[in-house]
Amino acid sequence: MDGETHRLTVPDEGGGRIDRFVTEHLELSRTRVQKLLEAGLVAVNGHLAKKSDVVSTGDEVEVVVPPAAPVDILAQALPLDILYEDDALLVVNKAAGMVVHPAPGHRSGTMVNALLHHVRDLSGVGGRLRPGIVHRLDRDTSGLLVVAKTDAAHHALSDALRERKVKRLYRAVSWGHFEQSKFKIDAPIGRDSKDRKRMAVRDDGRPSITHIVVRERWERTDFLDVRLGTGRTHQIRVHLMHAGHPVVGDAVYGVGWERGMGGPQRLWAAELARRVSRHFLHAAELTFVHPSTQLEMTFEAPLPEDLAALALWARGDDD
């Protein structure tokens, strides 16, 4: 069958269930991996694999990913802040409020709809609803994304992301104050057993690492530099909540957090919560090696107007 063939060796720490192993190492959705298994496109040590199979250290896994079906998403002339573009890729500064790719309830108005109007032909590796998308940002998270225009670029960037060679730095504000100014959060993340729309720290989750540096200490919050060691869904938001300092304005993992604050600065915290219209999280820096030129590229995006205004107020500089 035509398509991309991937050959993976299970590392020393083992691999667990075959569908989970392939999902993590090829950055494909679990649903798509299960369909590949059902179609007989996944083999372990030369034998066709079943969804329930478990892989062990040293096993050789072969996965054939067929070409994506033609994309039938509406191209829309939507505002798009493109910082860089060449024949292989684009770097986009995504606005807060824009969903990255179509999904149930968001079939139009997404970044992919805008990209298809601008580019016309994106890499199909991400599937019918996610052409060109190498990594994602939550709807209310602003900042930098790299988008692949060719399948070769998509595979190279996805591999680099999986091997932790893509460097991503976020700016965030969290409630309260951390004792340390520089530290690491190492806690596995998986689906919340009580709410499938949320993520949570859980013993059987996927390994997740977040590096934190406190840039500034405000009245009742910390202004942070956050670097991803891994890229799990909602990782920064979940890790900061787990540490007891959720992201300011986070309607899922930190709602109402300021109400529990006492002391003379309680009113300051309440006013900040009143002023924030979305969670204070912004993808500020992105570094990767260009898949064609092999040159390292770094892009920066300053805080957007809404977050910059909040920062000025919090510092007392908004005269």
Side-chain angles (χ1 to χ4, degrees):
M1 174 179 289
D2 292 336
E4 294 281 342
T5 300
H6 302 267
R7 294 178 176 84
L8 309 169
T9 300
V10 179
D12 291 343
E13 60 267 26
R17 278 179 53 119
I18 181 65
D19 56 348
R20 182 172 177 175
F21 174 78
V22 174
T23 295
E24 180 171 352
H25 284 77
L26 293 187
E27 295 292 330
L28 299 173
S29 70
R30 183 72 67 89
T31 299
R32 192 169 189 211
V33 170
Q34 289 175 345
K35 289 181 178 179
L36 295 177
L37 284 159
E38 292 170 358
L41 298 176
V42 181
V44 178
N45 299 327
H47 302 283
L48 293 184
K50 299 177 182 179
K51 287 191 288 186
S52 58
D53 285 351
V54 174
V55 291
S56 304
T57 300
D59 283 346
E60 298 293 333
V61 179
E62 182 175 288
V63 184
V64 177
V65 181
V71 175
D72 54 3
I73 304 170
L74 177 67
Q76 294 178 289
L78 302 172
L80 201 58
D81 184 9
I82 297 174
L83 303 187
Y84 175 83
E85 180 177 6
D86 60 25
D87 292 340
L89 57 84
L90 308 92
V91 174
V92 178
N93 184 17
K94 186 187 84 70
M98 176 175 271
V99 175
V100 170
H101 58 77
H106 296 283
R107 294 295 181 180
S108 63
T110 73
M111 194 177 81
V112 165
N113 295 108
L115 285 167
L116 288 173
H117 179 269
H118 177 81
V119 179
R120 301 294 182 183
D121 184 25
L122 291 172
S123 162
V125 175
R128 293 177 62 251
L129 297 180
R130 293 184 289 178
I133 301 303
V134 178
H135 60 119
R136 287 160 282 175
L137 295 175
D138 298 335
R139 180 184 63 184
D140 288 332
T141 300
S142 54
L144 299 170
L145 286 166
V146 60
V147 178
K149 295 174 72 173
T150 67
D151 288 356
H154 201 143
H155 283 299
L157 291 167
S158 294
D159 288 345
L161 194 69
R162 184 176 65 253
E163 295 166 5
R164 303 180 187 179
K165 294 178 180 178
V166 177
K167 301 173 184 176
R168 291 171 285 173
L169 181 141
Y170 292 72
R171 298 265 153 75
V173 174
S174 61
W175 287 115
H177 296 303
F178 287 101
E179 292 183 2
Q180 298 173 289
S181 59
K182 184 177 182 180
F183 57 97
K184 176 178 72 174
I185 301 175
D186 185 350
I189 292 176
R191 289 286 171 187
D192 190 320
S193 59
K194 297 180 180 179
D195 184 348
R196 301 296 293 175
K197 294 181 180 180
R198 290 168 54 106
M199 308 299 288
V201 168
R202 45 187 299 166
D203 292 340
D204 61 349
R206 299 169 69 185
S208 306
I209 297 174
T210 305
H211 301 275
I212 310 288
V213 174
V214 178
R215 290 173 57 91
E216 302 174 28
R217 295 190 186 276
W218 298 343
E219 293 286 340
R220 298 306 300 267
T221 59
D222 282 344
F223 183 35
L224 310 172
D225 275 354
V226 184
R227 289 192 182 276
L228 289 177
T230 54
R232 312 305 179 204
T233 301
H234 299 176
Q235 178 174 315
I236 295 172
R237 298 161 62 194
V238 171
H239 269 176
L240 289 176
M241 179 192 69
H242 177 69
H245 300 274
V247 174
V248 167
D250 193 331
V252 176
Y253 300 104
V255 62
W257 200 265
E258 73 285 353
R259 297 171 194 161
M261 292 187 170
Q265 296 162 333
R266 177 176 56 84
L267 294 178
W268 184 95
E271 178 62 17
L272 178 64
R274 187 190 70 80
R275 288 171 175 261
V276 68
S277 60
R278 49 114 171 177
H279 55 240
F280 199 122
L281 185 60
H282 174 69
E285 294 183 15
L286 178 66
T287 299
F288 58 88
V289 173
H290 193 287
S292 300
T293 67
Q294 299 304 304
L295 296 176
E296 184 175 84
M297 308 181 75
T298 296
F299 298 89
E300 298 182 8
L303 289 177
E305 289 184 6
D306 61 333
L307 300 188
L310 280 170
L312 283 174
W313 178 86
R315 296 181 183 116
D317 296 334
D318 63 336
D319 295 338

